[in-house]
């Protein structure tokens, strides 16, 4: 996309930063398309000339750098947008699920599964709209209109949310959650010399008011945190802990156990997220392949990612899985057929592995053709190989992401207690962030190792000289090892809360 007012040099770089943040918002979905002062300020930089560097002098090709105040305004926009996105994206999924939790009754499992699917589908549809319609408007009508549309949408979103606020189910926030989890760790360490009885009923535990549960047998060393050693010293006259860093409630202990138990399963999603983050390499592949359809129509190389988005949002979750596959199979079986979250995570990992194998195979075919035709030194030449060869890998990674992302969000939400629902909805985003760091680290390692002895790097800037097929085989191998790791973790985790819930066919009458 062109830079406004024909700016060049450092001025162009400043505006390029704005383009980066806009593209980031398109990639991440509706998190940035939410009410925030940051987007409004960013829009004002397109309206008020004093908020950006002046146009370049075309005759002398001289460009003025942005002033300190202009850069401060730009960074403030990014900061406000990031804060707003963090708050919205970490809460919206759990908040929406809270509205449905009591409405479903025994059908609650099916309702939540459908909700998580449609939530993720809506995110991807918004990305599709932003990457096509909004960008087209910016190209044709300018940045003022292009940035103005998200601002209007954010205003309408904030207004509708505020007007409907009295109708929402609002759970009481727990402001000291992280402190309470830390207290459990400290208390269990302080009582590390206590030997808990093998029979929970023989111990005196500190209960939360109105609760009568006993601590679970898994991670038993944490149970020491809620053991009452001396009631006179450990408790106050009203039954509270005299020192919360020495004595905790059973609920606090179980909350920490839930988080600790989930972490290994959470870590298994990183390799698949690394595979999903490989969105720049298919652009290089498509750029060197025949993208023409008919005599005049040519798909831009950067637009091939849309096939992944379409497969995620439309083909699987709207058209196939949620509205076709499950209802048909349920009618055939005479009962509601439900794939558990962990089964869908496993299928997603399998598809991710198959995707890496297919990608490596297609890249090897493309590279061999380029070398055979004498284009090993020219990565810009379009080969006589249709870019449609890329569609299987794009669809596969889209299917894998759809299955895994929705399943992970659903799994974390179902396993965590009410006080930790916002953490549950944040775990997947945290996983994606860590996976991006892992992907960068992995690329740097492979780059350094593969170019030892003066050899061409596997991930060379010249895609025909490099060996991206070897790189994808490495990812395929890691994906296979990750599947074994996942099966080990899920076996060690044991039955989850979703396995204990009875789910009935949608529309089936309650029998209770």
């Amino acid at each position: 996309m062109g830079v406004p007012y024909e700016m060049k040099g450092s001025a162009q770089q400043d505006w390029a930063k704005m383009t980066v943040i806009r593209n980031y918002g398109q990639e991440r979905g509706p998190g940035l398309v939410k009410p925030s002062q940051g987007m409004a300020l960013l829009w004002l930089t397109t309206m008020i000339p004093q908020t950006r560097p002046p146009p370049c002098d075309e005759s002398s090709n001289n460009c003025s750098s942005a002033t300190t105040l202009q850069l401060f305004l730009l960074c403030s926009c990014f900061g406000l947008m990031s804060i707003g996105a963090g708050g919205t994206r970490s809460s919206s999924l759990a908040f929406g699920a809270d509205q449905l939790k009591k409405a479903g009754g025994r059908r609650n499992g099916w309702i939540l599964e459908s909700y998580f699917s449609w939530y993720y589908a809506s995110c991807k549809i918004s990305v599709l709209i932003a990457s096509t319609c909004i960008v087209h408007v910016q190209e044709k009508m300018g940045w003022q209109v292009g940035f103005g549309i998200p601002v209007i949408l954010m205003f309408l979103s904030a207004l509708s949310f505020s007007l409907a606020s009295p109708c929402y189910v609002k759970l009481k926030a727990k402001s000291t959650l992280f402190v309470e989890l830390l207290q459990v760790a400290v208390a269990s360490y302080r009582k590390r010399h206590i030997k808990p009885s093998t029979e929970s009923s023989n111990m005196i535990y500190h209960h939360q008011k109105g609760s009568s549960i006993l601590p679970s047998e898994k991670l038993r060393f944490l149970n020491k945190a809620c053991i009452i050693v001396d009631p006179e010293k450990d408790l106050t006259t009203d039954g509270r802990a005299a020192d919360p860093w020495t004595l905790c409630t059973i609920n606090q202990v179980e909350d920490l156990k839930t988080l600790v138990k989930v972490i290994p399963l959470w870590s298994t999603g990183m390799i698949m997220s690394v595979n999903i983050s490989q969105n720049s390499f298919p652009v290089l592949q498509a750029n060197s392949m025949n993208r023409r359809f008919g005599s005049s129509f040519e798909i831009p190389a950067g637009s091939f990612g849309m096939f992944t988005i379409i497969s995620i949002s439309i083909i699987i979750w709207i058209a196939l899985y949620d509205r076709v596959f499950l209802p048909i199979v349920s009618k055939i079986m005479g009962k509601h057929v439900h794939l558990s979250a962990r089964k869908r995570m496993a299928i997603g990992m399998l598809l991710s592995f198959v995707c890496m194998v297919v990608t490596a195979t297609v890249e090897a075919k493309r590279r061999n053709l380029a070398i055979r035709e004498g284009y090993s030194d020219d990565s810009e030449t379009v080969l006589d190989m249709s870019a449609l060869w890329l569609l299987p890998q794009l669809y596969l990674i889209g299917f894998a992401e759809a299955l895994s992302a929705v399943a992970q969000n659903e799994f974390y939400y179902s396993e965590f207690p009410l006080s930790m629902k916002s953490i549950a909805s944040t775990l997947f985003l945290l996983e994606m962030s860590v996976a991006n760091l892992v992907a960068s680290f992995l690329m740097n390692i492979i780059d350094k190792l593969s170019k030892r002895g003066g050899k061409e790097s596997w991930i060379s800037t010249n895609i025909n000289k490099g060996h991206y097929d070897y790189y994808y085989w490495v990812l395929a191998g890691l994906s296979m090892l990750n599947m074994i790791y996942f099966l080990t973790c899920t076996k060690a985790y044991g039955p989850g809360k979703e396995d204990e819930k009875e789910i009935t066919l949608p529309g089936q009458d309650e029998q209770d």
Side-chain angles (χ1 to χ4, degrees):
M1 180 175 176
V3 177
Y5 308 112
E6 302 298 326
M7 293 189 290
K8 300 178 181 178
S10 59
Q12 182 179 8
Q13 293 175 4
D14 292 336
W15 269 88
K17 293 175 184 176
M18 293 184 181
T19 306
V20 169
I21 197 67
R22 181 208 68 196
N23 291 336
Y24 177 81
Q26 293 169 0
E27 281 186 14
R28 289 298 183 185
L32 292 181
V33 191
K34 290 292 181 182
S36 72
Q37 295 174 328
M39 191 64 213
L41 289 176
L42 191 58
W43 177 50
L44 289 178
T45 61
T46 68
M47 306 291 288
I48 305 174
Q50 290 78 12
T51 59
R52 60 178 183 271
C56 297
D57 186 352
E58 295 186 1
S59 59
S60 61
N61 199 26
N62 183 27
C63 299
S64 301
S65 299
T67 64
T68 303
L69 184 60
Q70 289 170 341
L71 286 176
F72 175 77
L73 177 61
L74 185 65
C75 293
S76 298
C77 296
F78 296 165
L80 289 171
M81 292 171 71
S82 299
I83 294 172
T88 301
R89 292 181 62 80
S90 64
S91 305
S92 59
L93 181 64
F95 184 76
D98 289 340
Q99 312 307 307
L100 303 172
K101 190 163 185 181
K102 293 183 178 180
R106 295 179 60 190
R107 297 187 299 151
N108 184 58
W110 172 80
I111 290 176
L112 286 180
E113 179 184 349
S114 182
Y115 164 72
F116 284 120
S117 299
W118 281 90
Y119 178 92
Y120 198 73
S122 66
C123 290
K124 291 303 176 179
I125 291 175
S126 70
V127 175
L128 186 63
I129 294 173
S131 301
T132 53
C133 301
I134 302 298
V135 171
H136 178 74
V137 170
Q138 288 178 343
E139 292 282 358
K140 298 298 182 181
M141 306 181 68
W143 291 55
Q144 294 93 332
V145 178
F147 278 8
I149 292 176
V151 172
I152 295 173
L153 292 175
M154 283 187 281
F155 173 77
L156 294 176
S157 177
L159 180 62
S160 61
F161 183 84
S162 300
L163 293 176
S165 181
C167 304
Y168 294 138
V169 174
K170 300 173 186 177
L171 300 179
K172 187 177 180 180
K174 200 171 185 179
S175 59
T176 59
L177 175 61
F178 286 103
V179 175
E180 291 182 355
L181 296 179
L182 183 60
Q183 286 172 345
V184 175
V186 172
S188 59
Y189 177 77
R190 286 182 173 180
K191 296 180 178 179
R192 62 190 181 278
H193 300 301
I194 296 178
K195 293 182 179 180
S197 172
T198 55
E199 296 292 334
S200 297
S201 57
N202 295 335
M203 305 298 298
I204 303 177
Y205 296 106
H206 183 37
H207 292 82
Q208 184 175 303
K209 187 177 181 180
S211 174
S212 59
I213 63 172
L214 291 176
S216 60
E217 290 301 310
K218 288 192 175 182
L219 302 173
R220 292 181 68 245
F221 64 92
L222 292 176
N223 292 350
K224 299 176 182 180
C226 58
I227 294 177
I228 300 176
V229 180
D230 187 345
E232 294 184 358
K233 293 181 179 180
D234 293 343
L235 299 175
T236 61
T237 54
D238 60 351
R240 298 176 180 270
D243 182 4
W245 295 92
T246 303
L247 179 63
C248 304
T249 64
I250 296 178
N251 298 77
Q252 287 178 252
V253 173
E254 292 304 310
D255 286 355
L256 182 59
K257 283 184 180 182
T258 301
L259 183 60
V260 173
K261 284 173 57 182
V262 162
I263 287 177
L265 278 171
W266 169 80
S267 66
T268 62
M270 287 188 190
I271 293 299
M272 204 193 80
S273 296
V274 168
N275 295 343
I276 294 172
S277 68
Q278 310 299 317
N279 47 21
S280 59
F281 296 147
V283 176
L284 296 176
Q285 291 176 301
N287 195 52
S288 64
M289 302 171 75
N290 183 8
R291 306 185 305 277
R292 286 191 173 276
F293 296 89
S295 58
S296 58
F297 182 70
E298 182 179 38
I299 299 180
S303 298
F304 269 77
M306 294 301 101
F307 291 106
T308 300
I309 296 174
I310 293 172
S311 67
I312 292 172
S313 61
I314 299 175
I315 295 180
I316 272 208
W317 291 115
I318 295 180
L320 294 180
Y321 183 80
D322 195 47
R323 291 304 175 193
V324 176
F325 175 75
L326 288 182
I328 290 179
V329 176
S330 296
K331 287 184 179 180
I332 294 175
M333 301 295 293
K335 61 179 181 179
H336 179 62
V337 176
H338 169 70
L339 287 177
S340 68
R342 278 183 283 179
K343 287 180 181 178
R344 279 177 279 145
M345 289 166 63
I347 296 173
M349 291 180 186
L350 177 62
L351 291 178
S352 175
F353 163 73
V354 174
C355 173
M356 293 300 103
V357 173
V358 171
T359 304
T361 305
V362 171
E363 172 56 20
K365 177 180 176 63
R366 188 210 62 79
R367 182 179 181 276
N368 291 336
L369 178 61
I371 294 175
R372 190 165 59 248
E373 294 184 356
Y375 297 126
S376 59
D377 294 326
D378 186 6
S379 60
E380 299 296 327
T381 300
V382 177
L383 304 176
D384 187 20
M385 179 178 179
S386 175
L388 292 178
W389 280 88
L390 300 178
L391 294 189
Q393 68 192 55
L394 294 174
Y395 281 132
L396 280 171
I397 199 64
F399 296 163
E401 182 181 354
L403 283 164
S404 182
V406 174
Q408 285 187 65
N409 282 319
E410 183 182 335
F411 176 74
Y412 301 145
Y413 186 87
S414 63
E415 294 299 305
F416 279 39
L418 286 175
S419 60
M420 301 175 69
K421 294 303 184 185
S422 60
I423 296 179
S425 61
T426 306
L427 280 178
F428 179 70
L429 299 177
L430 179 61
E431 174 197 295
M432 292 292 291
S433 301
V434 175
N436 286 330
L437 297 177
V438 173
S440 299
F441 174 77
L442 186 62
M443 284 184 59
N444 290 332
I445 293 297
I446 291 178
D447 180 57
K448 290 180 180 179
L449 293 178
S450 61
K451 64 183 182 184
R452 281 183 175 179
K455 297 180 181 179
E456 189 75 27
S457 171
W458 288 1
I459 50 177
S460 170
T461 53
N462 186 331
I463 192 173
N464 294 337
K465 279 191 172 182
H467 264 292
Y468 284 83
D469 52 338
Y470 292 173
Y471 173 70
Y472 281 115
W473 280 118
V474 171
L475 293 181
L478 292 174
S479 299
M480 175 60 74
L481 294 176
N482 187 60
M483 283 193 292
I484 298 174
Y485 173 52
F486 171 79
L487 294 176
T488 303
C489 290
T490 194
K491 184 177 181 180
Y493 189 90
K497 291 182 181 178
E498 68 166 356
D499 301 318
E500 301 171 359
K501 295 176 182 177
E502 181 181 0
I503 304 173
T504 60
L505 184 65
Q508 183 176 332
D509 294 335
E510 304 287 344
Q511 300 296 327
D512 293 345

